[in-house]
Amino acid sequence: MTDSTPDIRPAYRTDLDGLRGVAIALVACFHVWFGKVSGGVDVFLTLSGYFFVGSLLRHAIASADPVATFRDTLNPWPRLSRLLRRLLPALVTVLIGVAIGALILLPQTRWVSIGREIIASALYFQNYYLAWNSQDYLAASSDNSPLQHLWSMSMQGQFFVATMLFALVLAAALKLLGTLLPAFTKASVIRTVIGVVVVVIAAASFYHATVQQGANQPYNYYDTLARLWEPLAGGLLAVWMPSVRLPSWLRTLITVGALALIVSCGWWIDGVAEYPGPMAWVPVGATLLIIWSGSGTAPRPAANRALASRQGVWLGNLAYALYLIHWPLLIFYLAYADSDHATFIEGTCILAVSLGMAWLVKRYIEDPLRGGNRSPLAARHWPGRPRIRYAAIMSAFLVLGAAVVGTGAKLWEHHMSTVAIGTEDIDPHLYPGARAWIDEIPVPARDPQPTPLAAEFDLAPTTADGVMSDFADLDFHVGVYGDPDAERTIAVAGGSHAEMWVPALDIIGKRNGFKVTTYLKMGCPLTLEKNPTRIDGTPYPECTTWVRKVLDELERVRPDAVFTNSTRPRPDGPADYVPPGYLEVFDELTAAGIPVIAIRDTPWPHDDDGRPINTPGCLADGGDAHSCGSERAAALALVDPITDYALLNPLLHPLDMSDHVCDETFCPAIVGNIIVYKDFHHLGATYVRSLSSALSRALEAELPWTGPSFGPFD
């Protein structure tokens, strides 16, 4: 370096280890007891950026030295190998443990999704797997994924690798510039260039996070591009640490205030809805203040010294392993106890066991495989020259990685074998489904179809054909079913609860000579509600835009009828109702002279405590038609709620198929040897096909042109 003042490696900050301990305590306690986002993960991200960008900055400054070669500057392997030794041993160990736990404690219907998440977590794209599947990070329950928390590990892994590669290229570019312009060999100039780059990228990421928060927050929560500004904010502090002389008591006050913000923000900020948008500045900014308040060569403030206590540092050193372990342990316990919440005593035991397991993982797996003088086991179990030890470490990684991939492959093979079982051509005499009730057909003793393992994939053809818009898609994609050459058309419009009727409408249309077109969007019923939400309550503005486009298109093409849902379960109590936004749609379409076929939504299965039932999972876990079913009165009003409106609007044709899903008092999980639901609330395609004759008769009664009904085995 040519600066007169050398760039000195900063002193090790044990108080920041203690801050890690505070962060992991918040994360674990909020997960176990409170079902909220604490802000602890944002503390981790900020600290990671501070340490990692600082390390890369020192590398760039050292690379400016003429002694350093371009090969040394650009070579990523020394840092990447250290990163792998730091991250992989504990992660792969936990993934193997989760695979074993899933096989023992979770129903077979969940093995496929767990296998996918094991692979996603091992390859560091779990955050995007969850984002694509819109799995919101909410309170723990027995139905949560035991790997859901690894989104943050994936995000940090992506940040580490991308930032490292970018920084190495930037360091090489600065070194090349230094051969032409000596000013670029100065540490101060290098620091300034890197600082400007960090500020620009962080500002772009923050802008992206803020915009996406109002557009697609469930995706935004997991998005690395939206989260990038948080570690870069910490990295900026490593590049430029403000030097302001303040008395020790004032710095202590700053640290205490910042800690209070970090500890309390989980109570007054809805992290799932707000992070990583502007409100994330609360935990991020508080972390920056703590880092700054304890910086410099002067004696650290009393609060920072308290963070550096032996207990705080011990917990901080266990933070990584404890983060990995506590969540799957919680989920497995809830599954074993068949509960959605842990009591105070249960939660305390879970945390205690998690701490013990985290210590074992760090002591006997992380430290030996990481190597170095800090671990007494390193010299004992990994003797010899560095290359020999390195080969042993890499061999261990390969063995562990093979176990994970092998488990995932086995689960995938099992998945493919279950999906291969088709149900479109099953014998209606053996598997009458709804026809057992409609036409009083005897039901022989047979295992139900599809199997509980395959029921998840018992889908309407629109899914395979890719004509359903996803959550972010603002356009509609028209599918054509029934008789594609027919003159008359029924347009199916809305969300997945309209889509699930397509298998029956396809059959009826082909038999009775009308075309079925589809206008479908995930989680978006046909409603003119001003502020629609998804099923989990998060805002869904894309639905508003999409519905408006679809209504305009329907009024332009003028189908002979629009088929859509008329009811939903009441959000605050039993039975069902007609949302006002649905009525606005019915008013608009019928005012345009377009008949509406308004089908009542089917019951959403719940147990006696009001908890939703995943029917295939319940059956795979040893349940039966009754124990996995639900009471009719808890899901349906005595009379179809659309009845009064239909009496006043002759173009509104109500359909109610409830009597073909439930008897007088109960809605069983299996009817006529066919599993009724494919998940928590969607009818399976096989059961819907068995409803074809009943739906045809109901349609013909309302709209005679739909054609004659047909027999029980058609």
Side-chain angles (χ1 to χ4, degrees), residues 406-490:
T407 302
K410 195 70 178 176
L411 292 172
W412 181 253
E413 179 184 356
H414 178 75
H415 154 60
M416 294 305 294
S417 68
T418 60
V419 174
I421 303 173
T423 57
E424 290 193 25
D425 299 318
I426 59 174
D427 188 339
H429 295 86
L430 300 178
Y431 304 96
R435 292 172 292 233
W437 284 354
I438 299 166
D439 299 298
E440 298 182 354
I441 297 172
V443 181
R446 290 287 188 278
D447 289 334
Q449 288 292 323
T451 66
L453 299 182
E456 175 188 353
F457 309 98
D458 192 22
L459 306 171
T462 42
T463 299
D465 296 342
V467 294
M468 173 173 258
S469 303
D470 62 25
F471 290 105
D473 193 348
L474 298 178
D475 295 321
F476 55 82
H477 309 281
V478 181
V480 179
Y481 302 93
D483 182 355
D485 299 320
E487 294 182 0
R488 290 187 178 272
T489 300
I490 289 180

Side-chain angles (χ1 to χ4, degrees), residues 402 461 581 606 619 630:
H606 283 75
L619 293 170
S630 52

Side-chain angles (χ1 to χ4, degrees), residues 26-193:
L26 288 172
V27 168
C29 291
F30 270 68
H31 279 167
V32 170
W33 285 312
F34 308 122
K36 297 169 72 69
V37 170
S38 66
V41 167
D42 305 273
V43 174
F44 287 133
L45 293 177
T46 309
L47 288 173
S48 295
Y50 172 73
F51 289 118
F52 197 66
V53 173
S55 172
L56 294 173
L57 171 66
R58 292 190 292 273
H59 173 78
I61 292 173
S63 297
D65 194 310
V67 176
T69 67
F70 276 99
R71 180 178 179 181
D72 293 333
T73 301
L74 280 169
N75 183 12
W77 183 243
R79 292 179 179 278
L80 186 59
S81 62
R82 287 198 298 272
L83 193 63
L84 294 176
R85 291 199 302 271
R86 170 69 183 90
L87 297 178
L88 286 186
L91 175 65
V92 175
T93 301
V94 169
L95 292 181
I96 293 172
V98 167
I100 295 171
L103 294 174
I104 296 173
L105 295 170
L106 299 183
Q108 291 179 320
T109 50
R110 299 184 63 185
W111 290 358
V112 172
S113 62
I114 297 297
R116 290 172 181 165
E117 291 192 43
I118 287 174
I119 295 171
S121 299
L123 299 179
Y124 280 85
F125 67 91
Q126 170 75 338
N127 59 324
Y128 283 112
Y129 177 88
L130 295 175
W132 294 330
N133 288 276
S134 299
Q135 187 166 355
D136 296 309
Y137 200 57
L138 298 172
S141 77
S142 57
D143 293 312
N144 280 102
S145 163
L147 296 173
Q148 189 170 327
H149 67 312
L150 292 187
W151 71 268
S152 66
M153 296 295 102
S154 294
M155 183 267 152
Q156 288 187 71
Q158 295 160 20
F159 164 75
F160 288 145
V161 173
T163 304
M164 179 186 64
L165 295 177
F166 180 82
L168 295 182
V169 172
L170 181 59
L174 290 171
K175 183 175 178 64
L176 180 61
L177 282 172
T179 62
L180 303 174
L181 299 171
F184 282 95
T185 64
K186 295 182 177 181
S188 58
V189 174
I190 295 172
R191 189 183 296 272
T192 299
V193 171

